[in-house]
Amino acid sequence: MRIDVQGQARIAHATLTEALERDWHDPAHDIDIVRVRLADLEPRTELEAAGFLVKPSWINWMAPLTDSAAAFQQRLSTKERKSHRYAARTAEKSGIELHVLPRVGDEDVHTFLDLYDQRIAAMSSGVNYARRQERHLLRHLDTLLGVFAHADGVLVGGCLGRLRPDQSLVHLQFSAVTDTARQSMLARLMYMAAFDAARERGYTWASLGNDPSLLGHTAQPGLFGFKARLGFVPIPTQTLPPKVTGDEAELVVRMRALAQPSLSIAYHGHQPAPSQEGLPASLPLRAVLYSAEPDPPRPVWLPSSPLPLEYRLVDALPRTTTAAAAGHDEHAP
């Protein structure tokens, strides 16, 4: 067993045998999360009986670009379309100008990463994935699509995507905005500009990037609601090439180091779901809302869910006695 410390979270990476044989709720272990890397899903039933969720380690958010910007907007809810119009008006009043870069250069990447660094530094448990990939980004500038937003000559937002012509896909990998721009919903405008640019180049699919399947630790749970409201659907990342991720079993022992509430994306059912809108076929998914409070109110960032929703009660602090987590299923409208 290996223990990693990420922020305030103590994460045990256990073998299958360790996962099933140990009482992880024993305070002596001092563990927040237990994870088991899975080569296949054969032990799923046994792991789930022990309280683990079996899940993809990462999820990717996908949506068709449709034939036009108007058709893409039509897929959104009335409220989301209003939010987009509000963002456009606010950007105009604030003097914010959006530019799709004709070509992403070295200096553009460095400028964006400086802004991204600032946003990650403001997070309690943020992981700087973009800076980790700096060399890769610079080596593959010809595959990048960039949208930058400036106000009075100062960068206030940006997103970098990768164009994957073999999949007819634009994959938005990284985005960052200042606090003020975030409040004015600038990210929506940048994403739509990137989608429009990709559509004009003949691409048919859009991805809002990969997220860890546990939202509430290194990634915030509000991402789920934001991306779902934009009409995107989560799928296991490994269903798309290159298949660099896999499956895992996860047990959240306590909420001490997690957002309250947090959200985890796990498999739901044992038969592959029918392919929707041309998405890759995979096992269906469900959303599991972790909370230290019984019967928590539905979070404001989760007004609706494209997945069945389950609630689980988890201790905020180490337990003094062992108790099983409770849960119930709710199929979101």
Side-chain angles (χ1 to χ4, degrees), residues 13 98 113 127 133 160 173 214 254 289 311:
H13 298 272
L98 263 69
L113 289 177
V127 177
Q133 296 191 34
L160 290 179
Q173 290 185 288
L214 174 63
R254 60 189 179 190
L289 195 72
Y311 292 85

Side-chain angles (χ1 to χ4, degrees), residues 225-253:
F226 174 70
K227 295 183 178 184
R229 288 194 299 272
L230 289 181
F232 284 71
V233 176
I235 62 173
T237 292
Q238 67 263 28
T239 60
L240 297 170
K243 299 180 179 181
V244 296
T245 64
D247 295 318
E248 65 185 15
E250 177 186 86
L251 177 68
V252 173
V253 180

Side-chain angles (χ1 to χ4, degrees), residues 14-24 36 43 46-50 52:
T15 65
L16 178 61
T17 301
E18 289 171 334
L20 294 173
E21 291 184 352
R22 297 196 182 193
D23 176 10
W24 296 104
V36 183
E46 194 174 7
L47 284 161
E48 290 179 344
F52 284 80

Side-chain angles (χ1 to χ4, degrees), residues 26-102:
D26 184 340
H29 289 308
D30 191 23
I31 293 297
D32 297 293
I33 302 169
V34 184
R35 290 198 175 120
V36 183
R37 187 180 296 274
L38 300 177
D40 55 58
L41 297 181
E42 184 177 350
R44 177 180 169 185
T45 299
E46 194 174 7
L47 284 161
E48 290 179 344
F52 284 80
L53 292 180
V54 176
K55 53 192 294 192
S57 55
W58 289 76
I59 54 173
N60 192 302
W61 291 83
M62 296 280 292
L65 281 173
T66 68
D67 295 333
S68 65
F72 190 92
Q73 288 272 350
Q74 199 60 38
R75 299 177 74 249
L76 308 181
S77 68
T78 300
K79 183 177 180 180
E80 188 57 34
R81 292 197 294 272
K82 288 181 178 178
S83 294
H84 182 80
R85 291 194 293 270
Y86 167 81
R89 291 194 304 269
T90 302
E92 183 177 4
K93 291 179 181 178
S94 303
I96 295 176
E97 298 182 350
L98 263 69
H99 303 280
V100 178
L101 304 184

